[in-house]
Amino acid sequence: MIPITRNSIDSKTITLRSGVPLANAYRTVYLNEEQVGCGNLILVNADHPVRKVEPRLAPVAGKLLMAAGKEEPDVALDTVSLAQLTALLDACGARKKIVVVSGYRSKDVQRMIFMDTLVKRGPAYTESYVALPGASEHQTGLAVDVGLASRRLHYIAPSFGEGSADAGRFKRLAPAYGFIQRYEEEKTPITGIACEPWHYRYVGYPHAAVMTDKNLCLEEYTAFLKKHAFASEHLIVEDGDRRFEIYYVEAAPGLTAVPVPNDKDAEWDVSGNNVDGFVVTASYRKEPRRHGR
């Protein structure tokens, strides 16, 4: 059991608890091993590099301000991430104050950036701020670097958060739109990356809100969700409008049978964790009938 906790996220109070499954019934979908590396919740780091990810990209140009440079002249993001980032900037009132510095990078571009930074800044700086080729979240299209439009911006470490009200508002509202600051200073021993106030990662709602509430980085959250396997108590999240049911399914060799809600009141999504399994997130707008197995 996890204790019931409450936290205000963008004027909403979320409640977390462990609980019994919420759907009236479940059906099975089958996912292959490659799909463990796909979805909004994939963990990408030096120990868990990007697998076969083919992001659905949309250009940032014409939608948001961007600080395009020679390293990344055509900034693009995952389509859902871009839509949510746009909504977040609108909520912040910062469309003309915050710019997109970096989005999707191919493995080859990441290799070029890594080697260039290594030559110019040395190994200590490079290892702290630049992920290895193949181990960068930017390769998924789900990560975005942002900066303040009023300041001169460095591509690797753009200015963001240093006493800025706009940056503070962005960070405060980000979880409600599915974003987390991926690399916090206190989590450096776990993530292996120094604090990056400019680097945000889309994981989706309510996951970003839960991570913020429990002060978990993505490495910790991936382990936390494994405690809520389908056959045990699920993670239940409520925010006043919706009730969410979240649970983990361990991947099997070949195809994995993943139970999903077979309920007319439920919308669901499945994401791989890029480690060893899948996470199901179901949303209920109406009060579902609880039951036991």
Side-chain angles (χ1 to χ4, degrees), residues 8-273:
S8 179
I9 304 292
D10 190 23
S11 301
K12 290 184 179 181
T13 298
I14 65 167
T15 300
L16 311 178
R17 61 180 174 84
S18 296
V20 298
L22 295 181
N24 295 315
Y26 292 83
R27 61 185 180 88
T28 301
V29 298
Y30 292 90
L31 302 177
N32 61 43
E33 293 178 81
E34 281 191 349
Q35 289 171 287
V36 170
C38 301
N40 293 334
L41 289 172
I42 55 174
L43 173 64
V44 175
N45 57 28
D47 294 325
H48 303 287
V50 176
R51 303 191 190 196
K52 187 180 179 181
V53 174
E54 297 177 355
R56 295 167 297 174
L57 298 174
V60 172
K63 301 179 179 69
L64 299 174
L65 292 179
M66 63 181 193
K70 60 181 178 60
E71 299 93 345
E72 200 173 331
D74 301 310
V75 183
L77 287 169
D78 166 82
T79 53
V80 175
S81 302
L82 178 57
Q84 289 301 100
L85 178 63
T86 301
L88 170 57
L89 289 171
D90 284 339
C92 294
R95 280 255 205 151
K96 296 183 179 180
K97 300 176 181 179
I98 295 175
V99 301
V100 177
V101 179
S102 180
Y104 169 77
R105 302 173 192 160
S106 69
K107 186 176 182 179
D108 288 340
V109 168
Q110 186 67 24
R111 181 181 295 108
M112 178 191 69
I113 293 168
F114 185 91
M115 296 306 297
D116 184 64
T117 307
L118 188 63
V119 171
K120 293 180 179 178
R121 295 294 191 105
Y125 182 93
T126 304
E127 290 170 9
S128 295
Y129 292 107
V130 184
L132 291 166
S136 171
E137 291 195 319
H138 285 284
Q139 198 175 326
T140 69
L142 299 169
V144 60
D145 291 349
V146 291
L148 297 172
S150 60
R151 303 186 186 181
R152 186 175 181 179
L153 298 174
H154 186 273
Y155 179 71
I156 298 299
S159 176
F160 194 70
E162 298 87 349
S164 164
D166 294 315
R169 190 178 303 110
F170 183 95
K171 181 173 183 176
R172 187 176 71 253
L173 298 182
Y177 295 87
F179 288 92
I180 56 166
Q181 181 184 324
R182 178 65 172 95
Y183 305 117
E184 301 269 7
E185 185 171 0
E186 64 189 85
K187 303 296 184 180
T188 296
I190 301 171
T191 64
I193 299 292
C195 180
E196 295 190 356
W198 56 84
H199 182 103
Y200 280 79
R201 162 68 191 271
Y202 183 75
V203 294
Y205 183 86
H207 300 286
V210 176
M211 292 173 69
T212 301
D213 178 81
K214 296 189 70 64
N215 189 29
L216 300 175
C217 64
L218 189 52
E219 285 81 359
E220 293 171 312
Y221 189 58
T222 300
F224 170 73
L225 290 181
K226 291 172 68 173
K227 299 176 183 178
H228 297 278
F230 177 72
S232 63
E233 290 188 308
H234 297 180
L235 177 62
I236 310 300
V237 184
E238 297 179 74
D239 68 5
D241 297 323
R242 290 174 290 177
R243 174 175 291 177
F244 298 88
E245 170 186 19
I246 302 169
Y247 54 88
Y248 163 82
V249 178
E250 184 178 5
L255 294 178
T256 299
V258 179
V260 297
N262 188 20
D263 192 310
K264 63 182 179 63
D265 294 329
E267 297 178 355
W268 56 267
D269 176 72
V270 182
S271 172
N273 65 8

